[in-house]
Amino acid sequence: MKLIITALCAASASAFAPSCASSKKSALNAVSWSPDEDAFAYGLPGTLDPAPEFDPFGLSEGKDLNTMKKYREAETQHGRVAMLAFIGLLVTEEPIEFHPLFEAYNKDIGPAIRHLDEVRSASPFFFEVLGLVIGALELQRALTGWKAPADGVNYADLNEDYFPGDVGFDPLGLKPDDPEEFFAMSTKELQHGRVAMLGTAGIIAQELVNGKEIFVNLGLAADRFDPSSVPVQF
């Protein structure tokens, strides 16, 4: 547990670390992108056949560039969180049942929707540390993408040279230099994030209905969970 807390603290500290890049090259210039007012969503990534301009509720109609960039930013970040959550849901439940915060080999800790109860019981201070880490990361994202508060500046607007989702975090060097490859990768990330958001919501909804792990619901794992073993009862 000490190792986990140390890692979280290190992550929060790294959020304030300066970029190792020698020049302050903007994300927009890096991918050679300019908005196309005649294209769907100003030509931002995210459209793909067979439904390239899918917007059944008309959320993009009449929106300016800054609003569309904020939409894409929100969708990208929520998609990233959902992809991590989807993996977490699968690996922490039966039959894999690997959990980094506490021992799961001696009892079935049940569906992922109940794991926060167990975490709060085993390590009560974890959520306070997690809150600090999330706050540090969000502050770094705000400093990277959003305009600084000043006279006549709407601090809720993104910087003109900020590309949605490109916060400069690329430890494995996966970001392509070619604009077309970058756009293709961004579209793939958005599509995978969209599927992950739907999948995660579906798993959570199903587990709320009957309190069983998703692989148990599918008949692929045995149901060993005892609801009376969790710290919080409902």
Side-chain angles (χ1 to χ4, degrees):
M1 189 63 209
K2 292 181 180 179
L3 179 61
I4 295 171
I5 298 301
T6 302
L8 289 174
C9 292
S12 65
S14 66
F16 297 99
S19 172
C20 59
S22 58
S23 62
K24 192 176 181 181
K25 189 175 182 181
S26 72
L28 287 178
N29 291 333
V31 298
S32 302
W33 181 83
S34 58
D36 183 355
E37 295 185 358
D38 297 325
F40 178 74
Y42 292 89
L44 288 166
T47 61
L48 190 70
D49 291 333
E53 299 183 7
F54 184 75
D55 185 16
F57 298 107
L59 299 179
S60 63
E61 294 180 3
K63 299 299 188 296
D64 58 22
L65 174 61
N66 187 69
T67 301
M68 286 308 305
K69 286 173 61 179
K70 286 192 286 187
Y71 282 176
R72 278 290 185 265
E73 170 76 13
E75 187 177 21
T76 300
Q77 297 297 342
H78 283 83
R80 290 167 177 170
V81 172
M83 286 187 280
L84 291 173
F86 186 81
I87 295 174
L89 286 167
L90 298 184
V91 302
T92 58
E93 295 186 350
E94 288 277 10
I96 302 173
E97 206 163 52
F98 167 78
H99 205 294
L101 296 181
F102 46 81
E103 299 174 352
Y105 65 87
N106 56 356
K107 71 171 182 177
D108 187 346
I109 54 178
I113 58 172
R114 305 302 305 273
H115 290 181
L116 294 182
D117 303 338
E118 194 80 26
V119 172
R120 173 60 81 179
S121 175
S123 305
F125 54 88
F126 171 78
F127 289 98
E128 285 70 22
V129 176
L130 180 62
L132 291 174
V133 172
I134 294 174
L137 295 175
E138 286 298 295
L139 176 60
Q140 174 65 16
R141 187 164 71 97
L143 293 174
T144 302
W146 271 260
K147 293 181 178 180
D151 292 338
V153 174
N154 184 356
Y155 61 87
D157 288 343
L158 295 174
N159 290 320
E160 284 79 4
D161 61 352
Y162 176 69
F163 194 88
D166 190 5
V167 295
F169 181 75
D170 185 22
L172 300 180
L174 300 177
K175 178 182 175 181
D177 294 326
D178 181 75
E180 292 186 2
E181 292 181 4
F182 176 83
F183 264 58
M185 178 175 285
S186 296
T187 297
K188 291 177 183 178
E189 183 182 28
L190 281 164
Q191 294 292 81
H192 283 88
R194 290 162 179 168
V195 173
M197 285 188 279
L198 292 173
T200 301
I203 292 175
I204 293 173
Q206 178 59 50
E207 293 186 352
L208 285 171
V209 170
N210 61 5
K212 296 183 182 296
E213 296 152 274
I214 194 63
F215 284 115
V216 173
N217 277 302
L218 294 173
L220 301 176
D223 187 6
R224 301 189 300 113
F225 175 54
D226 179 10
S228 64
S229 65
V230 297
V232 179
Q233 303 294 320
F234 61 84

